[in-house]
Amino acid sequence: GLQEAGLETNDYDTLAKITESHLKSVPFGNLSQHGAPYDTSIEMEATATKVLQKRREGFCYEVNLLLGKVLEEMGYSVQRIGAEVFKGSFWTPEVHVWLFVNEKWHVDVGLGEPAIQPLEYPQFDTEQETAEGMKSRFVKDEESGNVVLEWLVVDDQGEAWVPRLRWPEELQVKT
């Protein structure tokens, strides 16, 4: 069990190890969302078969819902939160889901460039850096009432905070 492996349940360090392990062993992919003829499902049994047994990629709903179920079975409190994705110049409709764990951590294993560890949420206007060096922050958009997750992008032009996800400040839990 977890105790034999030196891990405690319901704490940040264990959650961070689980998240990192999931990212290393469960493939993310969204080709099915872009017209590829792959089966998709948000039914837990079909998702587990596809992703765990057949070792096929899963899109955000599949891999985040699967991880959420595992975390719940381990004793974590998990809420599934819908979000919009920023696509360079516009926001998608709500097409993404992330996990709000123990009402204090943002976990997302279903985004093409996820933070490898959970982020503290809500902790606004504070840069958070995870083990792999990704810098993120949550900001409030006072005009719209949304929370925006931004990533620090460094390129030839310099550094810039770029929006990635947004959702209403009043969390809308998905069942």
Side-chain angles (χ1 to χ4, degrees), residues 65-133:
L65 296 179
L66 189 62
L67 178 59
K69 181 71 171 165
V70 169
L71 293 173
E72 287 173 332
E73 290 179 5
M74 295 176 64
Y76 287 92
S77 165
V78 178
Q79 296 174 312
R80 291 132 184 97
I81 309 298
E84 299 172 346
V85 179
F86 188 68
K87 293 291 189 182
S89 61
F90 66 95
W91 290 95
T92 65
E94 187 178 289
V95 296
H96 187 72
V97 67
W98 60 274
L99 305 175
F100 189 35
V101 180
N102 285 2
E103 297 188 7
K104 57 185 162 187
W105 297 306
H106 174 279
V107 174
D108 192 345
V109 295
L111 196 56
E113 304 168 16
I116 202 165
Q117 296 167 320
L119 301 172
E120 290 184 50
Y121 179 78
Q123 183 179 11
F124 294 106
D125 301 313
T126 302
E127 183 179 297
Q128 298 183 53
E129 185 171 355
T130 52
E132 80 286 11

Side-chain angles (χ1 to χ4, degrees), residues 26-27 37-39 49-58:
V26 177
Y38 298 133
D39 296 334
T49 298
K50 172 187 166 184
V51 174
L52 301 177
Q53 292 176 3
K54 294 181 178 179
R55 306 290 301 152
R56 297 249 329 273
E57 67 182 29

Side-chain angles (χ1 to χ4, degrees), residues 2-3 7-12 14-15 18 74-76 102:
L2 290 174
Q3 280 78 23
L7 302 173
E8 298 294 324
T9 57
N10 262 331
D11 71 344
Y12 177 85
T14 300
L15 181 61
I18 292 166
M74 295 176 64
Y76 287 92
N102 285 2

Side-chain angles (χ1 to χ4, degrees), residues 1-63:
L2 290 174
Q3 280 78 23
E4 292 85 23
L7 302 173
E8 298 294 324
T9 57
N10 262 331
D11 71 344
Y12 177 85
D13 290 337
T14 300
L15 181 61
K17 289 175 183 173
I18 292 166
T19 303
E20 185 173 351
S21 177
H22 186 283
L23 287 166
K24 287 179 179 177
S25 59
V26 177
F28 166 79
N30 61 2
L31 292 176
S32 60
Q33 305 333 110
H34 299 284
Y38 298 133
D39 296 334
T40 61
S41 175
I42 57 172
E43 296 297 324
M44 194 56 60
E45 188 173 325
T47 297
T49 298
K50 172 187 166 184
V51 174
L52 301 177
Q53 292 176 3
K54 294 181 178 179
R55 306 290 301 152
R56 297 249 329 273
E57 67 182 29
F59 74 105
C60 66
Y61 275 83
E62 292 171 319
V63 294

